[in-house]
Amino acid sequence: MKKLVSAPALFVGAGVLLVIGALLAFWYAPIDASSMGFSQKIFYYHAPIAAAAIAAFGVAFVAAIVYLRTQDLLWDRLGYVSVRIGLLFSILVMITGMIWGKAAWGVWWAWEPRLTTFLLACFLYAAYWVLRSVVDEEQRRATYAAVFAVVAFVDVPITFFATRFLPEGLHPVVVGPGGGGMEGSVALSFAVCLVGMLLLMAALIRRDVEIELIKDRVTDLKTSLGG
Amino acid sequence: MGGWAQFKAIVRKDLIRELRTRDMLVSMILFVILAMIIFHYAFTVEEGSDLTWFTGGMLWVTFIFAMLLGLNRSFAQEKDERCLDGLLLCPVDRVTIFLAKTAGNLVFLLIIQAVAVPVFALFFIERSFLGDLLPFLVVLLLADLGICSLGTLLATISMNTRSRDLLLPILFLPLIVPVLIAATGATTLIFAEGTGFGSLAMRMLFLLGFDAVFLVAAWGTYDFAIGE
Amino acid sequence: MTVEEGARYVAAVYAVIMAVLVAYYIISSRRVSALQRDVQLLEEETRRRQAQATEAGAE
Amino acid sequence: MSDGQDRQDGGAPLEIEVEGLRKTFGRREVLKGLSFGVPRGGFLSIFGPNGAGKTTTLRVLATLLTASAGTVKVAGHDVREDPMPVRRAIGLISHNAMLYPDLTAQENLRFYADMYGLTDADERISDLLERLELSARRYDVVRTYSKGMRQRLAIARAVLHRPRVLLLDEPHSGLDPRAVDILDGLLAEIRDEHTFVMVTHNIAKGLEWGTKLMIIEGGRIAYEHAAGVDHDAFSAVYREHVHDGSVL
């Protein structure tokens, strides 16, 4: 399936882009004119990390659907690994989000839609983890995990929408209506950082799937030797 | 062949069983009323504190936790006596099983609410909200449907795992948060201000959307959740 | 916060995050090579036993 | 003789056809390519040690598990492609009664009758309860039944919808001698009405009933023979194929 690009190649590509992205973000993109000033640069890694987390959960969602259709455990491994990487990135989102909150609003935590949604997503995918650990039979574990991954991924945007019923959020709308477009230099720097982060995510998933497959091979060999 | 007849048969079987033993309903009702008493003491900071703005939250937190109790029971018997195999052997669409189980749980939740809401009103709500009964019932039904459909799907999964009733809340609670947000807000508005349909329309639509999405999601995945 | 301070602050956090991710990648890479060694050993063992079994069968 | 389906079983068409059945759980292959057939009216007895794949085979036939590969046809319908008619055509009796303990016998059977869409449910239920000597207790909750009575009711449940094929999953295990007698009496009574597949550890019973004998070992068919093997000879064969010393 994923024999196309090796993990090291993805990793090197990610590294190059992230270094260039960091250089662009810190020296090329202008310093924010608003109150945030230089700390607005958090945006160049906070938002790409968030995008990478969502993308990883998206991969898990697609893998879950393919698994349910094919019953091929390869897709279960991909889903499992994607959730793990998604969780890793989500935790980084929370940390950078809190730093952003401190810099922008002066508080470490705000019950703000995006932050809250990510917090809940963390709990959802932690539950996925727990679910896997309490089912012994492999195929059943894969099936339940896939069903839950589908439901969880559907739930995340709904949660985000629901948080809008709460009083107004604090999150700056940087891209999209109302926030005005990005300046060319900002957009370029951001795009490089975003692609770099996504490549890094892909490299991590790629490598961890490899680990899972080798682990399967080891258990297979062990059982055949033991039996 | 009669999917509807099978649906009725499963619901009737669950109702007969529960009304005969009453083990689930009695504990759910006791739990709900006890929770209210505890909320009263937990939230009253001084004599005569106004708890109006907590009403929606108290009500839905209680219902969701009561439902968790009920959901664990609703599949325990199917599993313990291997009745689930008997059910799966029948020429019945798995989605029919899902819908029937959801409907059964919905009936139980509504029975609980029929007892709990008047007691709740007596305890916590000073103004009469009879005029706003209709919007309240709409919100109630929409939220219940979401709670029951999602809960039934997850209970089906958790009953087959090692830690059954421990797992269910961990799976269920984070997923149900959107319903809690919308239903709580709407209920509080009704109890506190007596708003009509107008200001609740968005929340009602949202609940309707949630129900639709999770009914479809369960539709697509229930085969896998209940089989093998 | 001055621009200098902000720059240091933001860059430091960025560096920490990247260090975490790179460390994760390196650890998992080492894991891969360790596991691959296991596979190799197990495969050799399997081959050895198979050879033994055919020998025993031939006798 | 008339069509190409018959094998060593005489002329009857095959009620159950299994071709290259494989089943993997995760990466564990439990069934490694089984092929066999049972003619209409036949009685297949399947023996084998624990974990050999007997019950898995039966559950695939019962549509409770889906095969990973191969084709399985029951009563002329593909189990995977077309499970609904298969479900209508089969009944399963296992050591689990699959009855709701808080419902009465009548309610239990009524429930299953509705699930199968029986049009003559009332007469059928009365008739079965009469034949199984449960009429007197039909309005009692199943929780109060003895093990033997539950087993009888389980048989009623399994044959309620007049299945063409009856699958028996170690039906004798856990029964006292009296209940075994009742079960055998019932089997004798309904023997002509169905095609049977029985998974069992009980060699005597398997030989008594089987028109065809099969030993499954390690997910493969180790031995297959028409009926008419005596007990000692079969025991020897069983020991030859199965080395785990499991109970005979």
Side-chain angles (χ1 to χ4, degrees):
Chain A
M1 171 197 53
K2 297 184 84 189
K3 291 271 150 63
L4 303 168
V5 196
S6 72
L10 284 171
F11 187 72
V12 169
V16 170
L17 281 179
L18 284 172
V19 169
I20 295 174
L23 295 176
L24 287 174
F26 285 108
W27 280 285
Y28 174 60
I31 290 171
D32 192 49
S34 76
S35 60
M36 281 199 70
F38 196 90
S39 55
Q40 183 265 344
K41 305 260 186 226
I42 298 167
F43 164 72
Y44 293 100
Y45 52 88
H46 173 60
I49 289 173
I54 292 167
F57 293 140
V59 172
F61 173 72
V62 173
I65 289 176
V66 178
Y67 171 76
L68 289 178
R69 294 183 150 262
T70 62
Q71 303 283 306
D72 182 348
L73 282 174
L74 177 67
W75 295 97
D76 173 62
R77 302 298 187 253
L78 177 61
Y80 167 61
V81 163
S82 304
V83 165
R84 190 164 65 193
I85 301 299
L87 261 175
L88 173 70
F89 277 87
S90 294
I91 291 166
L92 292 177
V93 172
M94 310 284 291
I95 294 170
T96 49
M98 282 165 71
I99 295 169
W100 179 285
K102 186 66 184 159
W105 316 313
V107 288
W108 286 108
W109 183 262
W111 288 99
E112 178 279 329
R114 275 170 239 212
L115 223 49
T116 316
T117 307
F118 260 104
L119 180 65
L120 271 162
C122 282
F123 277 100
L124 269 177
Y125 286 100
Y128 171 95
W129 202 283
V130 177
L131 172 63
R132 288 189 77 98
S133 72
V134 294
V135 187
D136 295 323
E137 210 260 291
E138 189 153 30
Q139 193 157 9
R140 185 170 280 208
R141 170 169 61 220
T143 304
Y144 290 174
V147 170
F148 189 73
V150 169
V151 175
F153 190 70
V154 169
D155 195 73
V156 170
I158 294 180
T159 305
F160 179 65
F161 190 62
T163 54
R164 289 295 166 98
F165 288 130
L166 297 176
E168 271 307 290
L170 299 157
H171 219 98
V173 183
V174 183
V175 195
M182 278 195 263
E183 254 178 79
S185 56
V186 175
L188 175 69
S189 314
F190 179 71
V192 173
C193 289
L194 179 65
V195 174
M197 200 61 81
L198 289 173
L199 278 179
L200 181 58
M201 174 211 79
L204 293 175
I205 289 181
R206 175 79 181 69
R207 169 112 297 170
D208 280 7
V209 167
E210 205 176 329
I211 290 184
E212 292 300 317
L213 293 181
I214 299 177
K215 263 161 72 183
D216 287 349
R217 178 102 182 96
V218 170
T219 17
D220 279 353
L221 284 169
K222 275 186 183 156
T223 43
S224 75
L225 279 177
Chain B
M1 216 195 61
W4 173 239
Q6 293 172 327
F7 173 85
K8 278 194 299 187
I10 300 175
V11 174
R12 181 168 354 106
K13 173 211 64 157
D14 280 349
L15 291 184
I16 292 176
R17 194 184 61 75
E18 180 54 34
L19 294 178
R20 184 163 294 151
T21 60
R22 285 190 221 98
D23 47 0
M24 188 166 126
L25 280 175
V26 169
S27 39
M28 279 167 86
I29 288 175
L30 287 178
F31 170 81
V32 164
I33 296 177
L34 277 170
M36 287 174 193
I37 295 170
I38 286 174
F39 278 146
H40 168 75
Y41 287 110
F43 290 140
T44 304
V45 276
E46 57 185 318
E47 185 83 8
S49 288
D50 182 12
L51 298 184
T52 309
W53 292 99
F54 295 122
T55 47
M58 287 193 272
L59 206 56
W60 286 103
V61 166
T62 316
F63 290 155
I64 284 173
F65 279 92
M67 200 59 219
L68 277 174
L69 289 179
L71 283 169
N72 278 322
R73 300 285 311 177
S74 91
F75 279 101
Q77 193 149 38
E78 302 278 3
K79 192 68 195 160
D80 291 342
E81 305 290 329
R82 307 280 288 185
C83 294
L84 195 66
D85 277 352
L87 197 56
L88 291 177
L89 279 168
C90 298
V92 55
D93 207 325
R94 274 50 182 147
V95 170
T96 308
I97 300 179
F98 167 73
L99 293 176
K101 279 284 172 190
T102 303
N105 286 325
L106 184 62
V107 170
F108 296 139
L109 186 56
L110 285 172
I111 293 175
I112 302 301
Q113 289 168 334
V115 177
V117 171
V119 176
F120 186 80
L122 180 76
F123 281 179
F124 296 110
I125 303 167
E126 277 157 33
R127 52 176 289 276
S128 156
F129 69 102
L130 281 178
D132 308 305
L133 204 55
L134 193 62
F136 175 69
L137 287 178
V138 172
V139 169
L140 193 79
L141 263 177
L142 288 174
D144 285 0
L145 193 59
I147 291 172
C148 291
S149 59
L150 186 58
T152 303
L153 175 65
L154 296 175
T156 308
I157 290 179
S158 68
M159 73 165 165
N160 277 316
T161 63
R162 252 189 292 121
S163 60
R164 287 192 193 181
D165 31 5
L166 230 64
L167 182 66
L168 187 59
I170 296 177
L171 300 183
F172 183 64
L173 291 178
L175 285 168
I176 207 67
V177 166
V179 170
L180 184 79
I181 293 175
T184 301
T187 310
T188 305
L189 281 178
I190 291 168
F191 286 158
E193 297 173 353
T195 33
F197 279 98
S199 56
L200 299 173
M202 270 310 286
R203 289 183 170 87
M204 286 178 180
L205 263 178
F206 174 82
L207 287 172
L208 191 67
F210 183 95
D211 297 350
V213 165
F214 280 97
L215 282 172
V216 170
W219 194 288
T221 55
Y222 201 67
D223 231 356
F224 303 106
I226 201 168
E228 307 247 334
Chain C
M1 200 187 298
T2 66
V3 171
E4 307 279 283
E5 277 170 357
R8 251 181 273 136
Y9 169 65
V10 171
V13 173
Y14 191 63
V16 168
I17 286 170
M18 284 304 126
V20 169
L21 291 174
V22 170
Y24 187 97
Y25 183 83
I26 290 171
I27 290 167
S28 66
S29 298
R30 292 174 62 128
R31 197 78 206 287
V32 168
S33 36
L35 281 164
Q36 266 162 349
R37 211 164 40 240
D38 286 357
V39 169
Q40 225 166 22
L41 286 173
L42 285 164
E43 271 171 349
E44 271 166 29
E45 177 68 16
T46 314
R47 263 196 299 277
R48 203 171 55 80
R49 287 208 196 169
Q50 268 167 356
Q52 265 179 352
T54 44
E55 256 173 54
E59 277 164 20
Chain D
M1 289 157 225
S2 53
D3 54 22
Q5 278 187 319
D6 56 345
R7 300 180 190 173
Q8 77 270 41
D9 309 302
L14 292 178
E15 191 77 334
I16 296 171
E17 278 179 272
V18 177
E19 199 61 54
L21 166 61
R22 286 171 185 277
K23 175 67 189 174
T24 42
F25 287 110
R27 283 164 301 120
R28 200 161 49 88
E29 192 168 41
V30 176
L31 299 180
K32 299 171 181 164
L34 303 184
S35 300
F36 60 89
V38 184
R40 183 166 301 161
F43 194 120
L44 171 67
S45 295
I46 303 179
F47 308 91
N50 290 329
K54 304 184 301 280
T55 300
T56 306
T57 309
L58 206 68
R59 289 177 76 84
V60 171
L61 292 177
T63 74
L64 291 176
L65 290 176
T66 40
S68 308
T71 55
V72 178
K73 280 188 174 179
V74 176
H77 297 279
D78 190 292
V79 166
R80 190 176 358 186
E81 303 301 321
D82 206 7
M84 287 305 177
V86 175
R87 287 181 185 132
R88 236 164 276 153
I90 53 165
L92 174 67
I93 298 174
S94 79
H95 41 277
N96 300 113
M98 295 185 258
L99 298 165
Y100 293 92
D102 294 315
L103 302 190
T104 65
Q106 169 78 24
E107 286 164 345
N108 263 297
L109 294 184
R110 181 74 222 194
F111 168 65
Y112 282 109
D114 289 344
M115 294 305 286
Y116 284 99
L118 293 193
T119 45
D120 58 341
D122 289 329
E123 301 96 89
R124 179 77 179 151
I125 291 171
S126 301
D127 178 43
L128 275 173
L129 289 174
E130 194 66 42
R131 273 170 74 183
L132 291 157
E133 299 165 28
L134 288 168
S135 294
R137 298 283 306 272
R138 72 189 291 183
Y139 296 115
D140 287 352
V141 172
V142 171
R143 194 179 286 288
T144 62
Y145 280 27
S146 69
K147 173 88 186 163
M149 289 170 70
R150 280 190 201 203
Q151 190 67 29
R152 270 182 277 161
L153 188 57
I155 294 167
R157 182 196 57 73
V159 301
L160 181 67
H161 55 291
R162 302 185 186 84
R164 286 164 61 177
V165 177
L166 262 186
L167 307 172
L168 311 177
D169 187 5
E170 303 190 19
H172 295 93
S173 79
L175 293 186
D176 54 50
R178 164 98 183 106
V180 168
D181 285 346
I182 292 174
L183 177 63
D184 282 358
L186 280 163
L187 285 182
E189 224 176 286
I190 58 176
R191 174 65 189 86
D192 297 335
E193 299 163 28
H194 311 275
T195 304
F196 288 80
V197 177
M198 176 165 77
V199 161
T200 186
H201 278 302
N202 189 326
I203 288 195
K205 293 292 173 203
L207 293 179
E208 182 185 337
W209 291 105
T211 60
K212 183 174 180 176
L213 315 171
M214 199 163 95
I215 297 175
I216 297 184
E217 157 72 341
R220 290 195 174 85
I221 296 177
Y223 174 82
E224 203 176 357
H225 202 281
V229 186
D230 75 58
H231 193 285
D232 290 344
F234 188 80
S235 297
V237 171
Y238 187 88
R239 266 192 294 274
E240 182 188 320
H241 288 288
V242 178
H243 310 288
D244 75 333
S246 71
V247 212
L248 286 182

